[in-house]
Amino acid sequence: MHKQDVTIYDVAREAKVSMATVSRVVNGNNNVRKETRDRVMEVIKRLHYQPNAVAQGLASKRTTTVGLIVPDLTNLYFAELSKGIDDIAVLYKYNIIISSVENRLMKEDAVIQGLLNKQVDGVIYMSNKLSEEAAEAFKRTDTPVVLAGTVSDNLEFPSVNIDYKKADTEALNLLLNDGKKKLALVVGDKEAPINRDHRIPAFEKFVADNELEGCEIFDNIKDYSDGYNLYPELAKKGINGAIVTKDVSSVGLLNSTLDRGAKVPEDFEIVTASATQIASVVRPALTTIKQPLYDLGAVAMRMLTKLMNDEGLEDKHIVLPYELIKKQSTLNK
Amino acid sequence: MHKQDVTIYDVAREAKVSMATVSRVVNGNNNVRKETRDRVMEVIKRLHYQPNAVAQGLASKRTTTVGLIVPDLTNLYFAELSKGIDDIAVLYKYNIIISSVENRLMKEDAVIQGLLNKQVDGVIYMSNKLSEEAAEAFKRTDTPVVLAGTVSDNLEFPSVNIDYKKADTEALNLLLNDGKKKLALVVGDKEAPINRDHRIPAFEKFVADNELEGCEIFDNIKDYSDGYNLYPELAKKGINGAIVTKDVSSVGLLNSTLDRGAKVPEDFEIVTASATQIASVVRPALTTIKQPLYDLGAVAMRMLTKLMNDEGLEDKHIVLPYELIKKQSTLNK
DNA sequence: CTGAAAGCGCTAACAC
DNA sequence: GTGTTAGCGCTTTCAG
């Protein structure tokens, strides 16, 4: 970034107006006579003037930039969320500073502080859970924050989610209806609020309500091989149906099942709780709880634009509909 | 972004020094007596002072922000590249403004101009091809640019790639060695420089060198269903081996092949030219040209940091090694 | 080692 | 409608 060649001052001089007028033209302020505006526009074009957004940001205290906090860029779940956010951001002319925080030395609150120092106008936070430190960092600022696809203990921050309990219950009903009675819930982290407060209670309630026996929760299944290595244990325990929260784990479990000669869905049924591209290209195709990831992101960003304009929100917590997509990994009787 | 509560001026007054000294402390300048430094640090901590990066940017002409231009966030190919970039960016304390440009009304050069207006210190451009307008926009500025996994006609811009010709030739040799002689090259866009100048010439040369007949190039295969719908045509023409540039298309083709009762790899072999997670979870697993996506991104970002520090580059065009990973979609005799 | 002062490029009252 | 004038919060000579 070298010294800027042409500034608002050059345009003013050349167009024989004050820089205030140039500023008005640039910002679409109506208080400029048409002839003046045209003249200024002509000079802007001729000189290839481009406003310096940093200077604008310092003077106006708005950077038209929002921060995005995401665990991992290469996780399709968050990539699809981000796409929804990005599309709405473009619509409202915001740029996005993206920060991934998983497996980093830098602590989450330091990342957030860095974003705030850059004077972002707002932040969207995505994760399986809102960490303590992140929540604290957000509370210290008055920069608006929206949680997308992220469960939080307190309802302090606006959020967009689906009804995880309802979705899981519906999936469990599908399994039960197919005659599978020894069910499993396979999660990445038992303590993540989304699991602790939603999926696990829903599972336990379902098991109790239907008086099922031998059902179990499996923790710490985070990637493909975790899923792949899990099947023997499930088989030994006679489990014949599972809801798996991560789709790569689902695929690992699926492949493992097939490799060991079990039939899906006859012997064993799988429902995956996060439907990304990966779940739909494997064979047999996986039955999924389809979260509207794109929409979750888009709605979250729309909420944020309102907050950044001090417009206020009708609903602070939005719940979007999901869909249970029945494919070949369940019998679907 | 409201009025900042505590500024460098507050710290200066409280510590009984000038703001210049506070600035020195904040920026780690050594020309400060230890006692003074300690006193300033104490006040900074006590007042929770955080420098305003926008003001720093305006005054210093460095924003410690780089722009990333990517076709689509949800394409794992670019997501993995981005991850490499991001990790190095964090290391050098840069933030990343990410802009996706595929299927947008806004033209690419407008996106680039927007990034430049934000005074990014550098730009990394990723795409299948560098568009004319993008190249023009980059030429107008002296902000450094690096191309990652992107082929360009001219060698004006520094770049990081693999040797696509060599990789494809090795893959074709694998197919031929397995006894497959009617080969196909399946691409997304014939006119993209990576195909036009690398993959297609390599394919044609291979066919000529080995005096093969009935080999053909298939264009416009961009997604899963394109790949899925392609197989009948290949079958009719007796094609028995294919290199597919996009991995989702490869998977589509694979599933279609299996659905129609052909055996992979006995009757038909597939090699995919971009190995993302998707290629490795399907069954049979796909043989792939494994591009070091993470490294491509990391090296590109490292180059950019050098350029941003006016350090100069030893090599302007870096070629990284690839690997041909043999899996079950080829016989591998 | 420290301070004074001049910007960086723009916005936003305020006056006319 | 348009110009004048303060800043926005920080870096960076230049003196001393």
Side-chain angles (χ1 to χ4, degrees):
Chain A
M1 177 171 168
H2 303 58
K3 190 174 168 96
Q4 191 160 328
D5 41 350
V6 27
T7 72
I8 199 172
Y9 195 79
D10 299 315
V11 177
R13 185 165 19 74
E14 190 75 11
K16 301 194 196 317
V17 295
S18 72
M19 49 189 296
T21 298
V22 178
S23 175
R24 289 189 186 101
V25 172
V26 168
N27 293 297
N29 185 317
N30 275 325
N31 292 351
V32 183
R33 209 187 345 151
K34 184 171 184 320
E35 305 158 36
T36 317
R37 172 183 307 280
D38 289 346
R39 184 152 38 91
V40 172
M41 290 287 262
E42 185 274 321
V43 175
I44 286 179
K45 216 150 261 169
R46 181 152 52 79
L47 266 45
H48 299 295
Y49 167 69
Q50 295 288 148
N52 180 324
V54 173
Q56 289 179 314
L58 184 58
S60 71
K61 305 199 163 305
R62 312 191 78 249
T63 56
T64 59
T65 303
V66 303
L68 218 65
I69 299 187
V70 57
D72 177 10
L73 284 173
T74 58
N75 183 326
L76 276 176
Y77 179 89
F78 297 110
E80 291 183 14
L81 269 170
S82 300
K83 188 166 190 169
I85 292 168
D86 188 42
D87 280 357
I88 303 302
V90 167
L91 204 61
Y92 286 87
K93 312 217 182 300
Y94 284 95
N95 280 110
I96 287 179
I97 297 186
I98 197 160
S99 304
S100 38
V101 292
E102 206 169 76
N103 304 323
R104 286 242 184 285
L105 287 176
M106 208 186 330
K107 282 186 303 173
E108 211 171 75
D109 56 341
V111 172
I112 292 168
Q113 189 57 250
L115 246 23
L116 296 176
N117 291 351
K118 292 243 161 145
Q119 313 299 124
V120 294
D121 296 334
V123 175
I124 292 190
Y125 182 91
M126 298 180 278
S127 165
N128 293 321
K129 73 168 179 199
L130 179 68
S131 70
E132 266 310 312
E133 49 187 17
E136 284 307 318
F138 288 145
K139 274 184 227 164
R140 281 197 296 270
T141 172
D142 43 37
T143 303
V145 176
V146 175
L147 312 183
T150 303
V151 168
S152 167
D153 292 332
N154 59 47
L155 297 178
E156 198 152 351
F157 306 105
S159 65
V160 192
N161 282 295
I162 67 161
D163 187 336
Y164 304 104
K165 281 186 185 168
K166 197 170 148 216
D168 281 22
T169 304
E170 192 175 332
L172 288 165
N173 261 315
L174 174 67
L175 298 178
L176 184 60
N177 194 48
D178 284 348
K180 305 297 193 288
K181 299 195 171 177
K182 295 196 81 170
L183 305 176
L185 174 66
V186 180
V187 302
D189 176 7
K190 241 178 175 169
E191 294 308 319
I194 187 174
N195 295 322
R196 194 191 57 208
D197 303 337
H198 296 260
R199 297 195 187 286
I200 291 175
F203 183 77
E204 288 173 341
K205 180 170 190 309
F206 185 86
V207 169
D209 286 355
N210 292 280
E211 299 174 354
L212 301 177
E213 288 181 12
C215 295
E216 193 172 336
I217 294 166
F218 296 84
D219 191 13
N220 249 310
I221 309 300
K222 296 172 189 291
D223 58 25
Y224 180 87
S225 46
D226 290 342
Y228 193 89
N229 296 327
L230 179 64
Y231 184 66
E233 189 178 347
L234 298 185
K236 200 167 56 190
K237 293 185 171 170
I239 302 283
N240 53 15
I243 295 188
V244 185
T245 59
K246 301 200 163 192
D247 63 350
V248 279
S249 303
S250 314
V251 173
L253 180 57
L254 173 69
N255 283 344
S256 165
T257 307
L258 300 173
D259 286 354
R260 291 164 206 271
K263 284 192 177 155
V264 175
E266 292 79 359
D267 303 335
F268 188 74
E269 299 197 4
I270 303 176
V271 177
T272 182
S274 69
T276 67
Q277 209 175 29
I278 280 185
S280 60
V281 300
V282 295
R283 294 301 178 84
L286 289 169
T287 290
T288 72
I289 295 167
K290 183 167 189 186
Q291 299 187 37
L293 296 176
Y294 179 92
D295 295 343
L296 282 169
V299 169
M301 184 63 205
R302 183 65 187 99
M303 287 174 84
L304 189 61
T305 63
K306 286 182 185 166
L307 291 169
M308 292 186 296
N309 287 322
D310 296 311
E311 286 178 28
L313 265 29
E314 317 79 78
D315 293 314
K316 205 170 166 186
H317 302 285
I318 294 185
V319 176
L320 258 35
Y322 63 86
E323 252 182 294
L324 185 61
I325 311 272
K326 299 173 185 173
K327 292 285 185 65
Q328 292 98 49
S329 69
T330 48
L331 289 171
N332 313 318
K333 284 184 182 170
Chain B
M1 176 171 169
H2 304 58
K3 191 173 168 95
Q4 192 160 327
D5 42 349
V6 28
T7 72
I8 199 173
Y9 196 79
D10 299 316
V11 177
R13 184 166 20 75
E14 190 75 11
K16 302 194 195 316
V17 295
S18 72
M19 49 188 296
T21 298
V22 179
S23 175
R24 289 187 185 100
V25 171
V26 168
N27 294 296
N29 185 318
N30 274 327
N31 292 349
V32 182
R33 202 173 6 135
K34 183 165 186 321
E35 304 158 37
T36 316
R37 171 183 308 280
D38 289 347
R39 183 153 37 92
V40 172
M41 290 287 262
E42 184 274 320
V43 175
I44 286 179
K45 214 149 262 167
R46 181 152 51 80
L47 265 45
H48 299 296
Y49 167 69
Q50 294 289 145
N52 179 325
V54 173
Q56 289 180 313
L58 183 58
S60 70
K61 306 199 159 306
R62 312 191 77 249
T63 56
T64 59
T65 303
V66 302
L68 219 66
I69 299 187
V70 58
D72 177 11
L73 283 172
T74 58
N75 182 325
L76 276 176
Y77 180 89
F78 297 109
E80 291 183 14
L81 270 169
S82 300
K83 188 167 189 167
I85 292 168
D86 188 42
D87 280 357
I88 304 302
V90 167
L91 204 59
Y92 286 88
K93 311 216 182 299
Y94 284 95
N95 280 109
I96 286 179
I97 297 187
I98 198 160
S99 303
S100 37
V101 291
E102 208 168 75
N103 305 322
R104 285 241 184 285
L105 287 177
M106 210 188 327
K107 283 187 303 176
E108 209 172 76
D109 55 342
V111 172
I112 294 169
Q113 190 58 57
L115 245 23
L116 296 175
N117 292 352
K118 292 242 162 146
Q119 313 301 121
V120 294
D121 296 334
V123 175
I124 292 190
Y125 182 90
M126 299 181 276
S127 165
N128 292 320
K129 74 169 178 198
L130 180 66
S131 69
E132 267 308 313
E133 50 186 16
E136 286 305 319
F138 288 144
K139 275 184 226 165
R140 282 197 296 270
T141 173
D142 43 36
T143 304
V145 177
V146 174
L147 312 183
T150 303
V151 168
S152 167
D153 292 332
N154 59 48
L155 297 177
E156 200 152 349
F157 306 106
S159 65
V160 192
N161 282 294
I162 67 160
D163 186 337
Y164 304 105
K165 282 185 184 169
K166 197 171 148 218
D168 280 21
T169 305
E170 192 175 332
L172 288 165
N173 261 316
L174 174 67
L175 297 179
L176 184 60
N177 194 49
D178 283 348
K180 304 299 193 287
K181 299 195 171 177
K182 296 195 79 170
L183 306 177
L185 175 66
V186 180
V187 302
D189 175 7
K190 242 179 174 167
E191 295 307 319
I194 187 174
N195 294 321
R196 194 190 57 208
D197 304 336
H198 296 258
R199 297 194 188 284
I200 291 175
F203 184 76
E204 287 172 342
K205 181 171 189 309
F206 184 86
V207 169
D209 286 355
N210 293 280
E211 299 176 352
L212 301 178
E213 289 182 10
C215 295
E216 194 173 334
I217 294 165
F218 296 84
D219 191 14
N220 251 310
I221 309 300
K222 296 173 188 291
D223 59 24
Y224 180 88
S225 46
D226 291 341
Y228 193 89
N229 296 327
L230 179 64
Y231 183 66
E233 190 178 346
L234 297 184
K236 201 167 57 191
K237 293 184 170 168
I239 302 284
N240 53 16
I243 295 189
V244 184
T245 59
K246 301 200 164 193
D247 65 349
V248 278
S249 303
S250 314
V251 173
L253 180 57
L254 173 69
N255 283 344
S256 164
T257 307
L258 300 172
D259 286 352
R260 288 162 209 273
K263 283 193 177 156
V264 175
E266 292 79 1
D267 305 333
F268 188 75
E269 299 197 1
I270 302 177
V271 177
T272 183
S274 70
T276 67
Q277 209 175 29
I278 279 184
S280 60
V281 300
V282 294
R283 294 301 177 85
L286 289 169
T287 291
T288 71
I289 296 169
K290 183 167 187 182
Q291 299 187 38
L293 296 176
Y294 179 92
D295 295 343
L296 282 169
V299 169
M301 184 63 206
R302 183 66 187 97
M303 287 174 85
L304 190 62
T305 62
K306 287 182 184 165
L307 291 169
M308 292 186 296
N309 286 323
D310 296 311
E311 285 179 28
L313 264 30
E314 317 79 78
D315 293 314
K316 205 171 166 186
H317 302 285
I318 294 185
V319 176
L320 257 35
Y322 62 86
E323 252 184 294
L324 184 62
I325 311 273
K326 298 173 185 174
K327 293 285 185 66
Q328 292 100 50
S329 69
T330 48
L331 290 169
N332 315 318
K333 286 184 179 168

